[in-house]
Amino acid sequence: MSTTFVNLSSAEERRAAANAIKDQSQERQKELIAGYFSSLAQAKANGKKVIYTFVPGNLTELIANFDLLPVLPEINALQNGMRGRTGDFIHLAEKGGHSEDVCTYVKADIGMLRSGNVGPTGEPLPKPDALLLSYTGCFTFLKWFELLRAEYDCPVIMLHTPYQGSGQITPAMREYVVKQLREVVIPKLEEISGKRYDEEKLKAALARSARAEEDLVGVLESAKCKPSPIDAYFGGVYYIGPIFTAFRGTQEAVDYYQLLRREVEERAAKKLGPVTPEGALEHERYRLVVEGPPNWTSFREFWKMFYGEGAVVVASSYTKVGGLYDRGFRHDASRPLESLADYCMGCYTNLSLPDRIDLLARYIEDYEADGFLINSVKSCNSFSSGQLLILRELERRTGRAGGFIESDLVDPRYFSAANIKNRLESYFQMIEAKRQRV
Amino acid sequence: MSIVVEQKEALDARIAPLLARAQALYEDLDLRAVQAWKSEDPSRRAIGFLPVYAPREVVHAAGALPVGIVGGGDQVEIVRGDSYFQSYICHLPRSVVELAVSGRLAPLDGFLFPSTCDVIRNLSGMFQILLPGKFVHYLDLPQNFDRRLGGEFYQHEMRTVAREVGKLTGIEVSDERLRASIVAWNANRAALRELRALRSERPWLVPTAEHYLVLRAGYLLPVEEHTRFVRDYLAAVRASARHPLDNIRVLVRGAFCEQPPVALLRTLERAGCYVVDDDFLQGAHLIPNDVREDGDPWEALSDAFLHGTVPTASIYDEKAEKGDALVRRVREQRVDGVILMAPSFCDPALLDQPMLQAALEKAKIPFTSFKYAEDTGQFQVIREQAGTFADAIKLWGSA
């Protein structure tokens, strides 16, 4: 990546610069997400119909093609988790017969529904007019929408997304998804919305998607700079917010990612570290690659365990669950439905385990990471099952230090701060020891 | 010794060797039976398949022996398997990996991993790494049930399996070969239907643990041999002097993938429950009725999967009928109560449970639920729970 490096004279200057350029994109991101939740709260009053769907393999451009609004239950769950609401929701779901063993996103969602379906921003969430089950990379999605269907008594539109078991998208897989889009998903969305499918409109949206994706890749790859101007995990989850939720294919997303990229490139040019909740990180001591989703209930505390030690995440797999763009994929207006099919099948959790290992190994090399860390979450078998083999294989292939911690997505009972902090401290010592040996 | 007693012993003597064989096959984790089958002809190949369902007809038509891999149960000491999985992952993959890394799956020439859940899915990738050079295929079963969509995709999947297994055996799967395999498996289905019908009608003749072992033998034996075996068992128990006990009739759901230890099945019966319907080893009876034997055999197998399966947690419930189907089954089988018995940390089964419970509550059908693991070794609590459930139904007609 090409950057111009400018040294600022003092720490104060660097911090001031960091805070100044942080505000614009972060404020814009906040506005977008808040606006999205407001539009959901007013959806029924405004005569808008609502489609519940999932982040991986989401068909945002297609949903927008019919002027429908997407609701993403995982986003509600994680936003509720960050606001400390999910403990009660999960408790409520378990009281209602849901096992303590299963996915806490599902239980947080069921609990929220039973508590009046007030969303994370305190505004009510609209009932779905349909559930679009494009279940990429997670079998639990299937059960989740079976459960929601029983609660809401609304239609489910199933999109079976084949898994890349052999490490590739075959023509048969693509054809299967495209046919489902054409013969199932589109006619059902037409029926629900009362509007005709408009391919030209879809093409225009996909062209905008590709522009935003290009800039998102620019942002994520800025972490190859030393120091990295971003944290590609804790900061990364804010960056992916708009494109993973309701904004892919919109001009707002294009503008946001342009702005974000410009800011990040400026930070890189000035050799500034990533923005943390306590200002810009000044000394990058450890560069890490992280596999697995973050914990949301103690997100800030978790993040501090990293930046407090000068650890920066330079690449992460979690920021690829809603689209894996840094391997070259872009939505393609010239082949709209094929492109949507490839997108659905290309998300990170739809990759085979060997492919996931290849990707992480490449991140470790390309981003010159000191090591990699796996945050294994109890809730998510799609991510977690096989992670201990990933750990071994990555250690064997890269020779870098591997760490392993355990937590959960939104169940506060499974975040043990002392344990995680201890493990992280040991892990950082391991990196130091490796450095000394070198 | 009275004549009656002599007759009883003679009849039991017909059952005993069959059960001894089924037990030996159940304990055959080194796959000696597979090795013996292969040793008869060096060109023979065997393909393992994980739960829940794989179209064994396709493997059979390609000249290979389909072998069910359902973990090590309570028979395997997990030495290395645990180091591959976190504590919150179910038990089955630990013992499967243990079997793999200890070389006990070596007689198998390839593996099919059906799209059952995220754990089995990721296990397919682990096998690609752990057993390099072996044929490993993730079998994506359709969740779209339209013949032109999911059906066409599934046929393509089956043809891929046929081609890859055919490369190992040197046999091309023609329509004729596949049709012959369908006939062989239909004969097996017919025998299993008879067995299930007998168990439902006179459960004292077919104890749950025996039923399970007989079913399980089909995961190692060639299909033709297993069909004969089931028929031999049927003849033996029909002629036996077994007599009914004062047990309630229960139906079990939730055990579709990770298998309960046989001792747990015996515990249920000792606690006063005749299991007259279950979803143990569900791949063996996911498609209970015959597959069409005429016309295009690929289409016939595909249609059978799309429209002929019983409801299970790993297949999308397109018509939202699993609750009604359960209630209907309860009525058909004249069941007194339902046991929802799922493996710990099994997302599909445990996420299904609230929906099944709601249907049972609405229909006022008594049920109880508990969790197990394939290596569960303590049964006292389960015995007490099942016993209390049975007693409550016997005394008051509800739990």
Side-chain angles (χ1 to χ4, degrees), chain B residues 176-328:
Chain B
E176 206 161 313
R177 283 191 68 93
L178 187 56
R179 217 171 278 124
S181 296
I182 289 173
V183 170
W185 289 95
N186 277 348
N188 190 260
R189 285 189 185 94
L192 292 179
R193 279 198 304 271
E194 228 173 280
L195 179 63
R196 288 170 81 82
L198 179 65
R199 178 173 69 151
S200 175
E201 195 186 322
R202 286 179 282 170
W204 55 91
L205 290 184
V206 188
T208 302
E210 285 185 19
H211 180 265
Y212 179 76
L213 289 172
V214 170
L215 207 60
R216 182 82 179 252
Y219 270 30
L220 272 185
L221 293 176
V223 62
E224 300 82 359
E225 202 176 331
H226 184 245
T227 305
R228 284 194 297 276
F229 182 77
V230 176
R231 296 230 166 265
D232 288 348
Y233 175 78
L234 274 167
V237 295
R238 275 186 179 129
S240 77
R242 289 171 166 174
H243 57 85
L245 300 173
D246 181 27
N247 283 0
I248 62 163
R249 294 168 62 86
V250 301
L251 177 153
V252 172
R253 284 292 179 274
F256 72 108
C257 174
E258 182 172 318
Q259 298 300 292
V262 173
L264 195 157
L265 305 184
R266 293 197 180 99
T267 298
L268 294 180
E269 215 147 50
R270 284 178 192 144
C273 301
Y274 278 136
V275 178
V276 298
D277 192 282
D278 61 60
D279 57 359
F280 306 139
L281 218 64
Q282 196 166 37
H285 49 91
L286 187 74
I287 298 171
N289 296 317
D290 284 358
V291 176
R292 219 174 45 241
E293 293 176 2
D294 56 357
D296 182 336
W298 303 95
E299 211 169 82
L301 274 177
S302 169
D303 284 351
F305 182 82
L306 298 177
H307 304 298
T309 58
V310 294
T312 188
S314 60
I315 299 178
Y316 171 53
D317 181 19
E318 187 182 30
K319 294 176 183 158
E321 58 189 3
K322 81 176 90 178
D324 290 344
L326 175 61
V327 170
R328 206 164 46 242

Side-chain angles (χ1 to χ4, degrees), chain A residues 50-52 128-133 145-146 148-150 152-158 188-189 191-192, chain B residues 316 318 320:
Chain A
V50 169
I51 301 290
Y52 282 24
D129 293 286
L131 306 168
L132 175 53
L133 178 48
F145 272 8
E146 283 184 0
L148 286 196
R149 176 178 59 189
Y152 289 117
D153 193 24
C154 68
V156 179
I157 309 167
M158 160 59 93
K188 286 266 176 64
L189 291 177
E191 191 183 316
I192 289 157
Chain B
Y316 171 53
E318 187 182 30

Side-chain angles (χ1 to χ4, degrees), chain A residues 36 129 139 153 159 179 185 194 255 278 305 360 367 379 390 400 403:
Chain A
Y36 160 66
D129 293 286
F139 279 90
D153 193 24
L159 175 67
K179 279 169 84 173
V185 177
D255 295 342
E278 294 180 34
M305 290 178 196
L360 291 165
Y367 288 80
S379 271
I390 292 178
R400 312 287 165 86

